[in-house]
């Protein structure tokens, strides 16, 4: 059983969720806004623990856990804390999300057929037929054929071992010395300077955000990789965008609202739509932050959608080098 999470208005598919894997340990899956939920729906219309999916007697059920805005199963409002049987094709509406229940295709059943071993018995061998003179090759003839393949015919010459070794040495290619293999520093520098930016950078965005205490490190990081960020499409909050432009001269391609004005939700939407190549999010793990639940939901979404993700300077530098020097 799997669930397709869609936008309830546009019906655009956001992600696919494997319900069987999520229920392997506890037998249930919590749906909610909390980052600890099994199925995270990041919206203010969704309660932290909105509802749950669970199995009983081999069937799947949905239960609303007393959510603030309620839930609908097959476009009918459900009662809180009541069990509703789910079948393939059913739908659950929670806030701006539509969850479509689908049954995974079962593999065709393997059919085994028992064969009577007596049918496999072969016909008795007739020794007389095998030993018939006309069907047998005389041993002398077989030996002569082998000898003819080894002993050269008249007119052919066998070269002595010394001559053979000389011929082999002449055919061997010359092996270059280590000095000939190693390129000069000027040649290596020229090769690196001619590396072209992958076309992917002109199609997708790189997100550049940071906690307040890490903003200076983010600006320094962008300054160290100006060759990359001057050629690619970037996204950041207005406050960070202004500092990057002042200190590096690089203009951010797209400014989005700050983290307290729906910035995380905007980035999450772009991640779901496949417009994000990488997220550079320098975090301060020593300080508490009010939007931690939204942060964790964003990081989880990046992992689900296989988006490159860095939360410190070391991983950010690794991603920058990987993107810039990767082949087209």
């Amino acid at each position: 059983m799997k669930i397709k999470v869609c936008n309830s208005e546009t019906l655009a598919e956001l992600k696919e969720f494997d319900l069987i894997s999520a229920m392997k340990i506890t037998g249930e899956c919590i749906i909610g806004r909390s980052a600890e939920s099994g199925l995270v729906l990041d919206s203010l219309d969704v309660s932290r623990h909105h509802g749950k999916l669970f199995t009983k007697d081999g069937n799947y059920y949905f239960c609303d856990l007393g959510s603030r805005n309620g839930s609908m199963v097959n476009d009918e409002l459900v009662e809180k804390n009541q069990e509703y049987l789910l079948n393939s094709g059913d739908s659950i509406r929670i806030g701006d999300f539509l969850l479509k229940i689908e049954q995974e295709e079962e593999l065709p059943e393997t059919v085994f057929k028992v064969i009577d071993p007596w049918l496999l018995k072969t016909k008795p061998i007739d020794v007389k037929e095998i030993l018939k003179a006309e069907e047998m090759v005389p041993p002398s003839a077989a030996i002569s054929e082998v000898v003819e393949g080894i002993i050269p015919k008249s007119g052919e010459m066998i070269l002595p071992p010394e001559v053979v070794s000389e011929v082999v040495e002449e055919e061997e290619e010359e092996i270059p010395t280590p000095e000939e293999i190693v390129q000069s520093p000027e040649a290596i520098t020229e090769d690196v300077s001619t590396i072209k930016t992958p076309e992917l950078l002109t199609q997708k965005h790189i997100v550049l955000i940071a906690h307040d205490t890490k903003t200076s490190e983010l600006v320094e990081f962008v300054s160290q990789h100006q060759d990359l960020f001057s050629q690619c499409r970037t996204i950041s909050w207005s406050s960070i965008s202004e500092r990057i432009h002042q200190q590096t001269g690089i203009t951010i391609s797209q400014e989005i609202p700050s983290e307290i004005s729906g910035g995380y939700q905007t980035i999450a939407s772009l991640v779901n739509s496949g417009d994000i190549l990488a997220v550079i999010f320098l975090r301060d793990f020593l300080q508490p932050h009010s939007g931690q639940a939204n942060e964790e939901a964003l990081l989880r979404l990046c992992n689900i959608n296989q988006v490159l993700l860095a939360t410190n300077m070391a991983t950010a530098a690794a991603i920058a080098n990987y993107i810039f020097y990767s082949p087209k």
Side-chain angles (χ1 to χ4, degrees), residues 175-183:
I175 301 175
T177 62
E179 292 76 9
E180 295 174 343
I181 297 176
V182 177
Q183 294 181 347

Side-chain angles (χ1 to χ4, degrees), residues 25-318:
I25 300 177
T26 61
E28 65 178 23
C29 175
I30 301 297
I31 305 174
R33 192 177 71 252
S34 171
E36 299 176 354
S37 303
L39 177 54
V40 178
L41 301 179
D42 191 11
S43 173
L44 296 178
D45 295 332
V46 181
S47 301
R48 290 180 57 81
H49 298 91
H50 197 102
K52 70 175 181 178
L53 299 164
F54 62 95
T55 58
K56 185 173 70 173
D57 299 330
N59 297 315
Y60 290 88
Y61 293 84
F62 171 75
C63 177
D64 188 294
L65 299 177
S67 63
R68 182 176 68 253
N69 296 322
S71 310
M72 299 180 70
V73 174
N74 296 330
D75 297 327
E76 293 185 5
L77 188 64
V78 302
E79 297 182 8
K80 297 177 180 179
N81 298 315
Q82 295 293 322
E83 300 176 356
Y84 290 85
L85 177 64
L86 298 175
N87 296 304
S88 179
D90 289 346
S91 63
I92 304 172
R93 189 182 299 272
I94 298 177
D96 296 332
F97 299 94
L98 182 65
L99 281 59
K100 296 181 180 179
I101 311 298
E102 294 186 359
Q103 183 69 39
E104 294 184 338
E105 297 182 0
E106 296 183 358
L107 295 176
E109 192 175 311
T110 303
V111 178
F112 295 91
K113 184 176 180 181
V114 179
I115 301 176
D116 189 348
W118 288 99
L119 298 178
L120 300 178
K121 284 194 172 184
T122 58
K123 182 181 178 181
I125 299 174
D126 191 344
V127 179
K128 293 182 179 180
E129 293 182 1
I130 297 177
L131 298 180
K132 285 182 179 180
E134 61 270 21
E135 295 181 359
M136 294 183 61
V137 179
S140 58
I143 295 174
S144 62
E145 291 180 0
V146 175
V147 172
E148 288 178 1
I150 298 176
I151 300 176
K153 299 178 181 179
S154 59
E156 295 182 351
M157 179 178 64
I158 300 179
L159 297 176
E162 295 78 6
V163 177
V164 174
S165 63
E166 291 178 1
V167 174
V168 172
E169 289 179 357
E170 291 179 358
E171 294 179 354
E172 291 181 353
E173 296 182 358
E174 294 184 0
I175 301 175
T177 62
E179 292 76 9
E180 295 174 343
I181 297 176
V182 177
Q183 294 181 347
S184 63
E186 293 78 6
I188 296 175
T189 304
E190 183 180 355
D191 292 340
V192 173
S193 62
T194 57
I195 295 178
K196 297 182 179 180
T197 306
E199 294 181 359
L200 194 62
L201 293 181
T202 62
Q203 302 171 0
K204 295 191 177 184
H205 292 81
I206 298 179
V207 176
L208 300 171
I209 56 177
H211 287 150
D212 292 339
T213 55
K214 296 290 183 178
T215 303
S216 298
E217 293 185 20
L218 179 61
V219 175
E220 180 184 355
F221 167 74
V222 175
S223 178
Q224 293 174 353
H225 298 82
Q226 291 194 42
D227 291 341
L228 169 64
F229 294 110
S230 61
Q231 303 178 50
C232 65
R233 304 170 68 183
T234 51
I235 294 177
S236 186
W237 295 322
S238 301
S239 57
I240 295 179
S241 174
E242 184 178 352
R243 288 192 57 179
I244 290 176
H245 182 69
Q246 289 177 352
Q247 299 185 32
T248 67
I250 295 176
T251 301
I252 298 299
S253 307
Q254 180 179 345
E255 295 184 357
I256 59 175
S258 64
E259 65 273 25
I260 61 176
S261 302
Y264 290 119
Q265 287 79 1
T266 302
I267 298 173
S269 176
L270 293 172
V271 169
N272 277 324
S273 62
D275 293 330
I276 301 300
L277 174 63
V279 173
I280 309 296
F281 183 10
L282 301 187
R283 307 178 68 197
D284 186 352
F285 293 94
L286 301 180
Q287 300 292 334
H289 302 280
S290 58
Q292 186 171 359
N294 291 329
E295 293 177 10
E296 296 297 335
L298 174 60
L299 300 183
R300 179 186 179 94
L301 204 57
C302 289
N303 285 315
I304 293 175
N305 289 274
Q306 298 185 8
V307 172
L308 298 173
L309 175 64
T311 56
N312 55 59
M313 288 287 285
T315 53

